[in-house]
């Protein structure tokens, strides 16, 4: 029986490399604080995938990996494109 691939060394290396790069959240554009509780804090670093794993994205492909806040990543869900708020063409 295969284990969880997110517990493996290659995945942990990818997460560490992305976190060390210090990129801002790709969904909201704000910086990700370095010293927050990673398991519970909404602004903690998480590794997001451009193409969600449930839609055929590769877990270990660095081109598919993005830095994101926990809150932004959870809010996006498994959508391929980030949620964009629609704006009216003018004020009514």
């Amino acid at each position: 029986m295969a284990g969880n691939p997110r517990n493996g060394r290659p995945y942990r290396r990818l997460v560490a490399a992305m976190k060390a790069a210090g990129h801002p959240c790709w969904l909201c554009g704000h910086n990700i604080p370095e010293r927050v509780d990673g398991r519970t804090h909404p602004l903690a670093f998480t590794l997001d995938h451009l193409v969600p794993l449930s839609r055929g994205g590769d877990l270990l492909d660095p081109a598919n990996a993005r830095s994101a806040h926990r809150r932004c990543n959870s809010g996006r869900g498994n959508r391929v494109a980030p949620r964009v708020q629609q704006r009216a063409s003018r004020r009514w």
Side-chain angles (χ1 to χ4, degrees):
M1 184 161 109
N4 184 353
R6 290 186 179 156
N7 289 336
R9 186 173 293 150
Y11 181 74
R12 288 194 310 260
R13 282 184 186 154
L14 178 61
V15 170
M18 293 296 293
K19 192 172 185 177
H23 295 297
C25 176
W26 81 282
L27 295 167
C28 71
H30 291 97
N31 289 331
I32 300 172
E34 292 181 21
R35 297 181 188 250
V36 294
D37 183 14
R39 295 186 184 264
T40 59
H41 199 282
L43 295 179
F45 173 87
T46 59
L47 186 70
D48 192 16
H49 293 89
L50 184 62
V51 178
L53 303 178
S54 64
R55 304 235 179 179
D58 186 9
L59 177 69
L60 300 175
D61 183 11
N64 193 33
R66 302 286 188 271
S67 299
H69 292 117
R70 179 171 300 287
R71 174 178 48 198
C72 298
N73 192 354
S74 296
R76 179 175 168 244
N78 72 339
R79 288 184 286 282
V80 175
R83 185 179 355 181
V84 178
Q85 192 172 17
Q86 297 292 330
R87 293 183 154 210
S89 58
R90 58 182 131 157
R91 287 187 99 128
W92 292 96

